[in-house]
Amino acid sequence: MAKIDYSQRSFSYYPTNAIISAKCIDGVWTEPELSDSFELSLHCFAGVFHYAPSCFEGAKAFMGVDGKVRLFRPDENAKRMINSAKYLDMPYPSVEMFVDMCVKCIQANWEHIPPYESGASLYLRPVLFGINPGLGIKSSKDVMFVVMCSGVGTYSGAKSLSTGTAVLSRNYDRAATHGSGGYKLGANYAQSLHAYNIAHDAGYRELLFLDSATHTHIEEFGSSNFFAIKGDTYITPDSSSVLPSITNKSLRTVAKEFGLKVERRMVMVDELATFDEVNSCGTAVVITPISRIDDKPTLEGSEITRSFSYGEECGEISRKLYNRIIGIQKGLEEDTYGWCLFVEPK
Ligand SMILES: Cc1ncc(COP(=O)(O)O)c(C=O)c1O
């Protein structure tokens, strides 16, 4: 087989060996099963096709500098999926079952774990969705839980820590004030796809959503959380309609290690003018520094009313945070918090 150049990979689906799945029918889980078929057979009246009872997660496994494979904070992903499923009123796997199926998925796809030097990783995508047939608007009582994976490179396809531009989303909202934005539901992403396409077509890497009630404060990017550095302070929005990012949570811990103050609070759009460094953060994007944010009355229009610039290079503090997080994930730095789960080959 030709050697794969993982360093050229972007954040995409690349074929692997197997997926692992289990179903919960009438409250009882089936034994998880590995399969080399990536196709599922579902009833066309299954809830997932109609009312979107579906939630998912994203986690990464890394080949470390020491040749050991580390899965980053899978228990946090499990807990977040449980919260999402509770919001949808449907059954969910336990934390133990979730983590165990992630581990089995990694083991079954061992040769697809990108090598350490490539900078790529094995991205795990656990998905939970309603499968029992129905017609009325109702939560799903039966669900399927599938864990799949792909060996991925950086989200933007660019080199790590290369900067990208963003635009404020003034005429499209991602999440309602009392809605589902704080859960990782497929439906939240469906809501952002059209706006994302317009932003991408206009050349922006990221789209920054605002609070849907007043459009005066910052929520998050379409694919990731927002954080800024101002002097010696790490600032990130606190809002129930923002997804509680595991990367952001980890960065807040690391920021304190570096003596930074951490503020998790409402962040006004006007404050963008006062920040030294602005970034998006998440499992897929890790940290992506933002070079400029444009403010436009509409995404479709060409008028730019103001721009906030942060430089073409990643800021010094953001780079330190990035190195510490990646260092823990790849075994270059001590995992003081016990965040990594070591996975052995089968
Ligand atoms: C909308 C959104 N916000 C934030 C995040 C970051 O969350 P995490 O750090 O847990 O990956 C993601 C996913 O990566 C996301 O899709």
Side-chain angles (χ1 to χ4, degrees):
M1 204 168 82
K3 210 163 177 292
I4 296 166
D5 184 0
Y6 282 100
S7 67
Q8 296 304 312
R9 283 201 167 177
S10 62
F11 185 79
S12 303
Y13 156 67
Y14 297 95
T16 52
N17 297 344
I19 61 171
I20 183 162
S21 66
K23 287 178 181 170
C24 183
I25 312 281
D26 293 329
V28 180
W29 280 99
T30 60
E31 207 44 51
E33 263 179 49
L34 282 166
S35 163
D36 59 7
S37 165
F38 284 58
E39 301 198 350
L40 305 175
S41 172
L42 295 178
H43 199 290
C44 67
F45 276 91
V48 65
F49 297 128
H50 305 263
Y51 307 122
S54 169
C55 55
F56 66 98
E57 279 300 322
K60 272 182 180 168
F62 300 85
M63 179 60 76
V65 65
D66 51 5
K68 293 184 178 155
V69 172
R70 291 165 173 80
L71 178 57
F72 190 65
R73 307 192 80 174
D75 50 323
E76 290 289 329
N77 291 103
K79 286 187 260 176
R80 192 168 62 187
M81 174 165 272
I82 290 171
N83 286 339
S84 299
K86 284 182 176 170
Y87 182 82
L88 294 168
D89 276 332
M90 61 184 201
Y92 46 83
S94 65
V95 171
E96 295 70 30
M97 179 177 171
F98 179 102
V99 175
D100 186 55
M101 284 175 65
C102 287
V103 167
K104 290 201 166 88
C105 183
I106 296 170
Q107 288 170 332
N109 294 289
W110 198 259
E111 67 266 37
H112 292 282
I113 304 170
Y116 165 75
E117 313 75 47
S118 66
S121 53
L122 190 72
Y123 181 82
L124 296 189
R125 172 51 61 83
V127 192
L128 180 74
F129 48 89
I131 55 170
N132 58 290
L135 188 56
I137 303 176
K138 242 184 169 180
S139 288
S140 296
K141 71 171 185 63
D142 300 334
V143 294
M144 186 165 189
F145 178 51
V146 187
V147 183
M148 56 201 93
C149 66
S150 176
V152 300
T154 60
Y155 197 74
S156 58
K159 259 181 46 221
S160 298
L161 288 184
S162 63
T163 55
T165 55
V167 59
L168 297 183
S169 184
R170 290 223 170 254
N171 59 325
Y172 293 93
D173 296 325
R174 175 179 187 274
T177 308
H178 301 292
S180 59
Y183 306 95
K184 204 164 170 70
L185 312 189
N188 293 339
Y189 294 82
Q191 201 143 280
S192 68
L193 291 176
H194 182 61
Y196 235 132
N197 291 339
I198 301 169
H200 282 160
D201 288 348
Y204 295 102
R205 188 188 287 179
E206 264 304 342
L207 182 57
L208 183 51
F209 288 100
L210 307 177
D211 74 292
S212 60
T214 67
H215 289 173
T216 56
H217 59 262
I218 291 163
E219 294 251 294
E220 65 176 323
F221 296 101
S223 65
S224 45
N225 271 187
F226 171 101
F227 81 89
I229 303 294
K230 182 178 175 179
D232 62 355
T233 307
Y234 178 107
I235 301 166
T236 193
D238 186 18
S239 159
S240 59
S241 44
V242 164
L243 188 76
S245 154
I246 297 160
T247 313
N248 193 350
K249 186 177 178 182
S250 310
L251 286 169
R252 292 197 300 274
T253 303
V254 166
K256 286 185 195 153
E257 248 181 45
F258 291 152
L260 297 173
K261 288 190 256 220
V262 172
E263 290 180 6
R264 196 172 174 209
R265 58 166 173 82
M266 186 184 280
V267 179
M268 307 307 290
V269 172
D270 291 342
E271 285 184 70
L272 286 174
T274 69
F275 296 144
D276 304 321
E277 303 175 19
V278 164
N279 300 274
S280 78
C281 69
T283 300
V285 303
V286 193
I287 286 180
T288 297
I290 304 296
S291 55
R292 193 185 81 234
I293 300 176
D294 287 344
D295 192 358
K296 299 169 84 179
T298 66
L299 283 183
E300 293 83 353
S302 54
E303 184 195 356
I304 296 174
T305 45
R306 54 182 171 167
S307 281
F308 307 94
S309 293
Y310 306 102
E312 294 300 326
E313 295 288 321
C314 176
E316 199 185 319
I317 294 179
S318 306
R319 187 179 292 273
K320 261 176 79 174
L321 292 169
Y322 174 89
N323 286 338
R324 178 76 176 113
I325 284 284
I326 286 282
I328 291 174
Q329 292 172 333
K330 296 192 169 175
L332 290 158
E333 300 219 0
E334 196 191 342
D335 179 9
T336 347
Y337 311 100
W339 282 339
C340 297
L341 176 73
F342 287 92
V343 181
E344 302 284 341
K346 204 162 161 44

mmCIF file of all heavy atoms in Angstrom, residues 56-59 72 76-77 80 123 125 155 174 181 183-184 188-189 192 209 220-226 242-250 281-286, ligand 1:
data_model
loop_
_atom_site.group_PDB
_atom_site.id
_atom_site.type_symbol
_atom_site.label_atom_id
_atom_site.label_comp_id
_atom_site.label_asym_id
_atom_site.label_seq_id
_atom_site.Cartn_x
_atom_site.Cartn_y
_atom_site.Cartn_z
ATOM 1 N N PHE A 56 -24.134 14.599 18.586
ATOM 2 C CA PHE A 56 -22.856 13.978 18.263
ATOM 3 C C PHE A 56 -21.738 14.570 19.101
ATOM 4 O O PHE A 56 -21.950 15.515 19.869
ATOM 5 C CB PHE A 56 -22.554 14.100 16.760
ATOM 6 C CG PHE A 56 -22.326 15.513 16.280
ATOM 7 C CD1 PHE A 56 -21.028 16.001 16.129
ATOM 8 C CD2 PHE A 56 -23.369 16.360 15.975
ATOM 9 C CE1 PHE A 56 -20.795 17.288 15.671
ATOM 10 C CE2 PHE A 56 -23.149 17.660 15.527
ATOM 11 C CZ PHE A 56 -21.866 18.117 15.368
ATOM 12 N N GLU A 57 -20.562 13.994 18.949
ATOM 13 C CA GLU A 57 -19.380 14.473 19.666
ATOM 14 C C GLU A 57 -18.186 14.472 18.725
ATOM 15 O O GLU A 57 -18.246 13.899 17.627
ATOM 16 C CB GLU A 57 -19.081 13.587 20.888
ATOM 17 C CG GLU A 57 -19.937 13.918 22.093
ATOM 18 C CD GLU A 57 -19.750 15.365 22.562
ATOM 19 O OE1 GLU A 57 -18.625 15.885 22.522
ATOM 20 O OE2 GLU A 57 -20.746 15.987 22.958
ATOM 21 N N GLY A 58 -17.116 15.089 19.166
ATOM 22 C CA GLY A 58 -15.861 15.066 18.421
ATOM 23 C C GLY A 58 -14.734 14.952 19.427
ATOM 24 O O GLY A 58 -14.671 15.741 20.372
ATOM 25 N N ALA A 59 -13.889 13.936 19.252
ATOM 26 C CA ALA A 59 -12.751 13.756 20.168
ATOM 27 C C ALA A 59 -11.546 13.370 19.308
ATOM 28 O O ALA A 59 -11.713 12.938 18.169
ATOM 29 C CB ALA A 59 -13.062 12.652 21.178
ATOM 30 N N PHE A 72 -7.937 12.306 24.191
ATOM 31 C CA PHE A 72 -8.030 13.487 25.048
ATOM 32 C C PHE A 72 -9.429 13.636 25.667
ATOM 33 O O PHE A 72 -10.413 13.801 24.952
ATOM 34 C CB PHE A 72 -7.685 14.733 24.228
ATOM 35 C CG PHE A 72 -7.503 15.983 25.050
ATOM 36 C CD1 PHE A 72 -6.461 16.094 25.959
ATOM 37 C CD2 PHE A 72 -8.376 17.053 24.923
ATOM 38 C CE1 PHE A 72 -6.277 17.242 26.716
ATOM 39 C CE2 PHE A 72 -8.208 18.217 25.672
ATOM 40 C CZ PHE A 72 -7.158 18.306 26.578
ATOM 41 N N GLU A 76 -15.299 13.743 29.169
ATOM 42 C CA GLU A 76 -15.989 15.029 28.996
ATOM 43 C C GLU A 76 -16.942 14.959 27.794
ATOM 44 O O GLU A 76 -18.044 15.498 27.829
ATOM 45 C CB GLU A 76 -14.974 16.158 28.786
ATOM 46 C CG GLU A 76 -14.173 16.509 30.017
ATOM 47 C CD GLU A 76 -15.009 17.220 31.084
ATOM 48 O OE1 GLU A 76 -15.959 17.932 30.735
ATOM 49 O OE2 GLU A 76 -14.699 17.029 32.284
ATOM 50 N N ASN A 77 -16.484 14.292 26.732
ATOM 51 C CA ASN A 77 -17.366 14.119 25.573
ATOM 52 C C ASN A 77 -18.586 13.285 25.950
ATOM 53 O O ASN A 77 -19.713 13.589 25.533
ATOM 54 C CB ASN A 77 -16.625 13.405 24.427
ATOM 55 C CG ASN A 77 -15.547 14.267 23.820
ATOM 56 O OD1 ASN A 77 -14.363 14.079 24.096
ATOM 57 N ND2 ASN A 77 -15.929 15.225 23.001
ATOM 58 N N ARG A 80 -21.021 15.337 27.914
ATOM 59 C CA ARG A 80 -21.727 16.323 27.080
ATOM 60 C C ARG A 80 -22.778 15.631 26.205
ATOM 61 O O ARG A 80 -23.867 16.160 25.995
ATOM 62 C CB ARG A 80 -20.721 17.120 26.234
ATOM 63 C CG ARG A 80 -21.350 18.325 25.570
ATOM 64 C CD ARG A 80 -20.314 19.251 24.987
ATOM 65 N NE ARG A 80 -19.525 18.583 23.942
ATOM 66 C CZ ARG A 80 -18.461 19.123 23.362
ATOM 67 N NH1 ARG A 80 -18.047 20.324 23.719
ATOM 68 N NH2 ARG A 80 -17.789 18.466 22.429
ATOM 69 N N TYR A 123 -9.513 11.503 14.428
ATOM 70 C CA TYR A 123 -10.705 12.200 14.939
ATOM 71 C C TYR A 123 -11.820 11.170 15.119
ATOM 72 O O TYR A 123 -12.127 10.400 14.202
ATOM 73 C CB TYR A 123 -11.132 13.267 13.936
ATOM 74 C CG TYR A 123 -12.341 14.069 14.367
ATOM 75 C CD1 TYR A 123 -12.211 15.150 15.238
ATOM 76 C CD2 TYR A 123 -13.610 13.752 13.897
ATOM 77 C CE1 TYR A 123 -13.312 15.889 15.635
ATOM 78 C CE2 TYR A 123 -14.725 14.488 14.290
ATOM 79 C CZ TYR A 123 -14.570 15.555 15.156
ATOM 80 O OH TYR A 123 -15.661 16.283 15.548
ATOM 81 N N ARG A 125 -15.800 10.408 15.840
ATOM 82 C CA ARG A 125 -17.104 11.046 15.720
ATOM 83 C C ARG A 125 -18.180 10.090 16.284
ATOM 84 O O ARG A 125 -18.666 9.211 15.579
ATOM 85 C CB ARG A 125 -17.365 11.375 14.239
ATOM 86 C CG ARG A 125 -18.754 11.862 13.897
ATOM 87 C CD ARG A 125 -19.247 12.999 14.741
ATOM 88 N NE ARG A 125 -18.492 14.228 14.698
ATOM 89 C CZ ARG A 125 -18.613 15.187 13.763
ATOM 90 N NH1 ARG A 125 -19.439 15.028 12.770
ATOM 91 N NH2 ARG A 125 -17.916 16.302 13.861
ATOM 92 N N TYR A 155 -8.052 21.860 10.516
ATOM 93 C CA TYR A 155 -9.415 22.157 10.097
ATOM 94 C C TYR A 155 -9.439 22.944 8.794
ATOM 95 O O TYR A 155 -10.236 22.714 7.904
ATOM 96 C CB TYR A 155 -10.117 22.967 11.196
ATOM 97 C CG TYR A 155 -11.611 22.986 11.049
ATOM 98 C CD1 TYR A 155 -12.355 21.852 11.371
ATOM 99 C CD2 TYR A 155 -12.273 24.099 10.579
ATOM 100 C CE1 TYR A 155 -13.726 21.839 11.233
ATOM 101 C CE2 TYR A 155 -13.646 24.102 10.445
ATOM 102 C CZ TYR A 155 -14.366 22.973 10.776
ATOM 103 O OH TYR A 155 -15.729 22.958 10.640
ATOM 104 N N ARG A 174 -27.367 31.522 15.185
ATOM 105 C CA ARG A 174 -27.105 30.093 15.333
ATOM 106 C C ARG A 174 -28.051 29.455 16.356
ATOM 107 O O ARG A 174 -28.534 28.362 16.156
ATOM 108 C CB ARG A 174 -25.652 29.864 15.772
ATOM 109 C CG ARG A 174 -25.307 28.431 16.065
ATOM 110 C CD ARG A 174 -23.863 28.264 16.480
ATOM 111 N NE ARG A 174 -23.560 26.847 16.589
ATOM 112 C CZ ARG A 174 -23.775 26.136 17.675
ATOM 113 N NH1 ARG A 174 -24.248 26.703 18.763
ATOM 114 N NH2 ARG A 174 -23.485 24.851 17.703
ATOM 115 N N GLY A 181 -28.514 25.874 21.823
ATOM 116 C CA GLY A 181 -27.109 26.136 21.476
ATOM 117 C C GLY A 181 -26.095 25.525 22.427
ATOM 118 O O GLY A 181 -24.968 25.233 22.037
ATOM 119 N N TYR A 183 -26.076 22.620 23.594
ATOM 120 C CA TYR A 183 -26.013 21.162 23.410
ATOM 121 C C TYR A 183 -25.454 20.889 22.018
ATOM 122 O O TYR A 183 -25.631 21.706 21.107
ATOM 123 C CB TYR A 183 -27.412 20.544 23.568
ATOM 124 C CG TYR A 183 -28.041 20.933 24.878
ATOM 125 C CD1 TYR A 183 -28.903 22.020 24.957
ATOM 126 C CD2 TYR A 183 -27.710 20.250 26.044
ATOM 127 C CE1 TYR A 183 -29.443 22.421 26.173
ATOM 128 C CE2 TYR A 183 -28.240 20.635 27.262
ATOM 129 C CZ TYR A 183 -29.106 21.721 27.326
ATOM 130 O OH TYR A 183 -29.620 22.112 28.527
ATOM 131 N N LYS A 184 -24.841 19.713 21.857
ATOM 132 C CA LYS A 184 -24.217 19.440 20.555
ATOM 133 C C LYS A 184 -25.192 18.656 19.674
ATOM 134 O O LYS A 184 -25.039 17.450 19.447
ATOM 135 C CB LYS A 184 -22.886 18.695 20.750
ATOM 136 C CG LYS A 184 -21.939 18.884 19.566
ATOM 137 C CD LYS A 184 -20.532 18.491 19.947
ATOM 138 C CE LYS A 184 -19.594 18.435 18.756
ATOM 139 N NZ LYS A 184 -19.276 19.730 18.171
ATOM 140 N N ASN A 188 -28.450 22.187 15.429
ATOM 141 C CA ASN A 188 -27.788 23.497 15.568
ATOM 142 C C ASN A 188 -26.911 23.799 14.362
ATOM 143 O O ASN A 188 -26.752 24.948 13.960
ATOM 144 C CB ASN A 188 -26.885 23.527 16.809
ATOM 145 C CG ASN A 188 -27.673 23.452 18.090
ATOM 146 O OD1 ASN A 188 -28.857 23.756 18.108
ATOM 147 N ND2 ASN A 188 -27.027 23.024 19.160
ATOM 148 N N TYR A 189 -26.311 22.744 13.834
ATOM 149 C CA TYR A 189 -25.386 22.934 12.710
ATOM 150 C C TYR A 189 -26.172 23.157 11.421
ATOM 151 O O TYR A 189 -25.772 23.964 10.571
ATOM 152 C CB TYR A 189 -24.424 21.741 12.613
ATOM 153 C CG TYR A 189 -23.514 21.709 13.829
ATOM 154 C CD1 TYR A 189 -23.949 21.157 15.037
ATOM 155 C CD2 TYR A 189 -22.263 22.296 13.793
ATOM 156 C CE1 TYR A 189 -23.151 21.183 16.167
ATOM 157 C CE2 TYR A 189 -21.446 22.319 14.923
ATOM 158 C CZ TYR A 189 -21.899 21.762 16.112
ATOM 159 O OH TYR A 189 -21.105 21.798 17.228
ATOM 160 N N SER A 192 -26.816 26.632 10.856
ATOM 161 C CA SER A 192 -25.714 27.547 10.507
ATOM 162 C C SER A 192 -25.162 27.323 9.101
ATOM 163 O O SER A 192 -24.352 28.116 8.624
ATOM 164 C CB SER A 192 -24.591 27.401 11.534
ATOM 165 O OG SER A 192 -23.995 26.125 11.418
ATOM 166 N N PHE A 209 -20.946 34.177 15.493
ATOM 167 C CA PHE A 209 -22.353 34.411 15.823
ATOM 168 C C PHE A 209 -22.497 35.295 17.060
ATOM 169 O O PHE A 209 -21.677 35.240 17.981
ATOM 170 C CB PHE A 209 -23.075 33.076 16.042
ATOM 171 C CG PHE A 209 -23.282 32.308 14.765
ATOM 172 C CD1 PHE A 209 -22.451 31.254 14.413
ATOM 173 C CD2 PHE A 209 -24.311 32.662 13.889
ATOM 174 C CE1 PHE A 209 -22.633 30.560 13.218
ATOM 175 C CE2 PHE A 209 -24.506 31.969 12.697
ATOM 176 C CZ PHE A 209 -23.654 30.919 12.364
ATOM 177 N N GLU A 220 -20.259 32.563 19.709
ATOM 178 C CA GLU A 220 -19.159 31.680 19.320
ATOM 179 C C GLU A 220 -19.073 31.574 17.805
ATOM 180 O O GLU A 220 -19.968 32.039 17.091
ATOM 181 C CB GLU A 220 -19.339 30.295 19.935
ATOM 182 C CG GLU A 220 -20.555 29.534 19.446
ATOM 183 C CD GLU A 220 -20.633 28.125 20.030
ATOM 184 O OE1 GLU A 220 -19.595 27.473 20.198
ATOM 185 O OE2 GLU A 220 -21.758 27.685 20.313
ATOM 186 N N PHE A 221 -18.006 30.969 17.338
ATOM 187 C CA PHE A 221 -17.860 30.709 15.906
ATOM 188 C C PHE A 221 -18.726 29.505 15.548
ATOM 189 O O PHE A 221 -19.113 28.718 16.417
ATOM 190 C CB PHE A 221 -16.390 30.415 15.577
ATOM 191 C CG PHE A 221 -15.469 31.584 15.825
ATOM 192 C CD1 PHE A 221 -14.691 31.644 16.970
ATOM 193 C CD2 PHE A 221 -15.401 32.634 14.917
ATOM 194 C CE1 PHE A 221 -13.842 32.718 17.202
ATOM 195 C CE2 PHE A 221 -14.563 33.717 15.141
ATOM 196 C CZ PHE A 221 -13.785 33.758 16.286
ATOM 197 N N GLY A 222 -18.956 29.336 14.249
ATOM 198 C CA GLY A 222 -19.804 28.224 13.805
ATOM 199 C C GLY A 222 -19.242 26.862 14.162
ATOM 200 O O GLY A 222 -19.984 25.903 14.351
ATOM 201 N N SER A 223 -17.912 26.761 14.265
ATOM 202 C CA SER A 223 -17.292 25.453 14.496
ATOM 203 C C SER A 223 -16.540 25.394 15.810
ATOM 204 O O SER A 223 -15.884 24.390 16.093
ATOM 205 C CB SER A 223 -16.280 25.188 13.377
ATOM 206 O OG SER A 223 -15.232 26.139 13.486
ATOM 207 N N SER A 224 -16.610 26.464 16.606
ATOM 208 C CA SER A 224 -15.672 26.544 17.734
ATOM 209 C C SER A 224 -16.032 27.698 18.667
ATOM 210 O O SER A 224 -16.817 28.572 18.300
ATOM 211 C CB SER A 224 -14.259 26.770 17.185
ATOM 212 O OG SER A 224 -14.286 27.755 16.176
ATOM 213 N N ASN A 225 -15.424 27.697 19.838
ATOM 214 C CA ASN A 225 -15.624 28.778 20.814
ATOM 215 C C ASN A 225 -14.723 29.964 20.482
ATOM 216 O O ASN A 225 -13.768 29.860 19.701
ATOM 217 C CB ASN A 225 -15.284 28.303 22.229
ATOM 218 C CG ASN A 225 -16.458 27.680 22.969
ATOM 219 O OD1 ASN A 225 -16.349 27.369 24.153
ATOM 220 N ND2 ASN A 225 -17.589 27.483 22.314
ATOM 221 N N PHE A 226 -15.033 31.095 21.113
ATOM 222 C CA PHE A 226 -14.269 32.341 20.969
ATOM 223 C C PHE A 226 -13.494 32.584 22.256
ATOM 224 O O PHE A 226 -14.048 32.435 23.353
ATOM 225 C CB PHE A 226 -15.264 33.490 20.749
ATOM 226 C CG PHE A 226 -14.662 34.876 20.781
ATOM 227 C CD1 PHE A 226 -14.393 35.562 19.597
ATOM 228 C CD2 PHE A 226 -14.382 35.511 21.991
ATOM 229 C CE1 PHE A 226 -13.851 36.843 19.622
ATOM 230 C CE2 PHE A 226 -13.838 36.788 22.014
ATOM 231 C CZ PHE A 226 -13.578 37.455 20.834
ATOM 232 N N VAL A 242 -24.136 28.949 24.134
ATOM 233 C CA VAL A 242 -22.829 28.609 23.545
ATOM 234 C C VAL A 242 -22.484 27.170 23.939
ATOM 235 O O VAL A 242 -22.723 26.759 25.069
ATOM 236 C CB VAL A 242 -21.742 29.581 24.075
ATOM 237 C CG1 VAL A 242 -20.348 29.061 23.819
ATOM 238 C CG2 VAL A 242 -21.908 30.955 23.438
ATOM 239 N N LEU A 243 -21.905 26.408 23.003
ATOM 240 C CA LEU A 243 -21.526 25.031 23.325
ATOM 241 C C LEU A 243 -20.393 25.033 24.352
ATOM 242 O O LEU A 243 -19.379 25.715 24.144
ATOM 243 C CB LEU A 243 -21.050 24.302 22.054
ATOM 244 C CG LEU A 243 -20.826 22.814 22.268
ATOM 245 C CD1 LEU A 243 -22.149 22.064 22.327
ATOM 246 C CD2 LEU A 243 -19.943 22.225 21.187
ATOM 247 N N PRO A 244 -20.541 24.300 25.454
ATOM 248 C CA PRO A 244 -19.437 24.240 26.435
ATOM 249 C C PRO A 244 -18.269 23.423 25.865
ATOM 250 O O PRO A 244 -18.280 22.198 25.929
ATOM 251 C CB PRO A 244 -20.056 23.569 27.667
ATOM 252 C CG PRO A 244 -21.434 23.156 27.291
ATOM 253 C CD PRO A 244 -21.697 23.493 25.856
ATOM 254 N N SER A 245 -17.311 24.127 25.316
ATOM 255 C CA SER A 245 -16.182 23.487 24.618
ATOM 256 C C SER A 245 -15.206 22.857 25.616
ATOM 257 O O SER A 245 -14.794 23.488 26.595
ATOM 258 C CB SER A 245 -15.462 24.546 23.791
ATOM 259 O OG SER A 245 -14.107 24.218 23.587
ATOM 260 N N ILE A 246 -14.793 21.639 25.311
ATOM 261 C CA ILE A 246 -13.828 20.933 26.166
ATOM 262 C C ILE A 246 -12.433 21.562 25.991
ATOM 263 O O ILE A 246 -11.662 21.676 26.939
ATOM 264 C CB ILE A 246 -13.834 19.427 25.815
ATOM 265 C CG1 ILE A 246 -15.225 18.842 26.123
ATOM 266 C CG2 ILE A 246 -12.745 18.669 26.565
ATOM 267 C CD1 ILE A 246 -15.551 17.555 25.417
ATOM 268 N N THR A 247 -12.152 22.014 24.769
ATOM 269 C CA THR A 247 -10.862 22.687 24.523
ATOM 270 C C THR A 247 -10.791 23.988 25.313
ATOM 271 O O THR A 247 -9.779 24.272 25.966
ATOM 272 C CB THR A 247 -10.704 22.984 23.015
ATOM 273 O OG1 THR A 247 -11.052 21.820 22.280
ATOM 274 C CG2 THR A 247 -9.294 23.418 22.671
ATOM 275 N N ASN A 248 -11.870 24.771 25.250
ATOM 276 C CA ASN A 248 -11.905 26.048 25.973
ATOM 277 C C ASN A 248 -11.751 25.807 27.485
ATOM 278 O O ASN A 248 -10.980 26.497 28.162
ATOM 279 C CB ASN A 248 -13.236 26.747 25.646
ATOM 280 C CG ASN A 248 -13.262 28.207 26.087
ATOM 281 O OD1 ASN A 248 -12.382 28.672 26.805
ATOM 282 N ND2 ASN A 248 -14.286 28.925 25.668
ATOM 283 N N LYS A 249 -12.460 24.798 27.977
ATOM 284 C CA LYS A 249 -12.361 24.464 29.408
ATOM 285 C C LYS A 249 -10.905 24.121 29.776
ATOM 286 O O LYS A 249 -10.372 24.577 30.790
ATOM 287 C CB LYS A 249 -13.278 23.257 29.687
ATOM 288 C CG LYS A 249 -13.406 22.860 31.125
ATOM 289 C CD LYS A 249 -14.394 21.707 31.258
ATOM 290 C CE LYS A 249 -14.507 21.249 32.694
ATOM 291 N NZ LYS A 249 -15.422 20.103 32.860
ATOM 292 N N SER A 250 -10.244 23.349 28.900
ATOM 293 C CA SER A 250 -8.859 22.944 29.155
ATOM 294 C C SER A 250 -7.933 24.164 29.067
ATOM 295 O O SER A 250 -7.010 24.316 29.866
ATOM 296 C CB SER A 250 -8.412 21.889 28.135
ATOM 297 O OG SER A 250 -9.360 20.847 28.065
ATOM 298 N N CYS A 281 -11.363 28.238 19.191
ATOM 299 C CA CYS A 281 -10.783 27.033 19.795
ATOM 300 C C CYS A 281 -11.798 25.900 19.818
ATOM 301 O O CYS A 281 -12.998 26.120 19.992
ATOM 302 C CB CYS A 281 -10.263 27.324 21.201
ATOM 303 S SG CYS A 281 -11.531 27.667 22.428
ATOM 304 N N GLY A 282 -11.308 24.689 19.601
ATOM 305 C CA GLY A 282 -12.162 23.508 19.611
ATOM 306 C C GLY A 282 -11.341 22.284 19.251
ATOM 307 O O GLY A 282 -10.179 22.417 18.847
ATOM 308 N N THR A 283 -11.941 21.107 19.384
ATOM 309 C CA THR A 283 -11.213 19.871 19.083
ATOM 310 C C THR A 283 -10.705 19.872 17.646
ATOM 311 O O THR A 283 -9.552 19.537 17.378
ATOM 312 C CB THR A 283 -12.148 18.660 19.299
ATOM 313 O OG1 THR A 283 -12.552 18.675 20.659
ATOM 314 C CG2 THR A 283 -11.474 17.352 18.975
ATOM 315 N N ALA A 284 -11.567 20.258 16.711
ATOM 316 C CA ALA A 284 -11.182 20.219 15.303
ATOM 317 C C ALA A 284 -10.185 21.327 14.976
ATOM 318 O O ALA A 284 -9.163 21.086 14.335
ATOM 319 C CB ALA A 284 -12.418 20.331 14.418
ATOM 320 N N VAL A 285 -10.455 22.543 15.439
ATOM 321 C CA VAL A 285 -9.601 23.692 15.055
ATOM 322 C C VAL A 285 -8.395 23.856 15.985
ATOM 323 O O VAL A 285 -7.480 24.599 15.665
ATOM 324 C CB VAL A 285 -10.397 25.025 15.022
ATOM 325 C CG1 VAL A 285 -11.586 24.942 14.083
ATOM 326 C CG2 VAL A 285 -10.842 25.480 16.405
ATOM 327 N N VAL A 286 -8.382 23.177 17.113
ATOM 328 C CA VAL A 286 -7.405 23.348 18.207
ATOM 329 C C VAL A 286 -7.451 24.827 18.618
ATOM 330 O O VAL A 286 -8.392 25.246 19.251
ATOM 331 C CB VAL A 286 -5.978 22.900 17.818
ATOM 332 C CG1 VAL A 286 -5.110 22.806 19.075
ATOM 333 C CG2 VAL A 286 -5.991 21.573 17.080
HETATM 334 C C1 LIG B 1 -20.178 25.196 17.616
HETATM 335 C C2 LIG B 1 -19.016 24.641 18.337
HETATM 336 N N1 LIG B 1 -18.549 25.309 19.399
HETATM 337 C C3 LIG B 1 -17.480 24.862 20.080
HETATM 338 C C4 LIG B 1 -16.825 23.698 19.720
HETATM 339 C C5 LIG B 1 -15.624 23.264 20.487
HETATM 340 O O1 LIG B 1 -15.921 22.250 21.394
HETATM 341 P P1 LIG B 1 -14.789 21.206 21.803
HETATM 342 O O2 LIG B 1 -13.646 21.981 22.301
HETATM 343 O O3 LIG B 1 -15.425 20.397 22.869
HETATM 344 O O4 LIG B 1 -14.459 20.436 20.599
HETATM 345 C C6 LIG B 1 -17.307 22.951 18.630
HETATM 346 C C7 LIG B 1 -16.700 21.677 18.213
HETATM 347 O O5 LIG B 1 -15.560 21.419 18.130
HETATM 348 C C8 LIG B 1 -18.406 23.436 17.919
HETATM 349 O O6 LIG B 1 -18.876 22.771 16.868
#
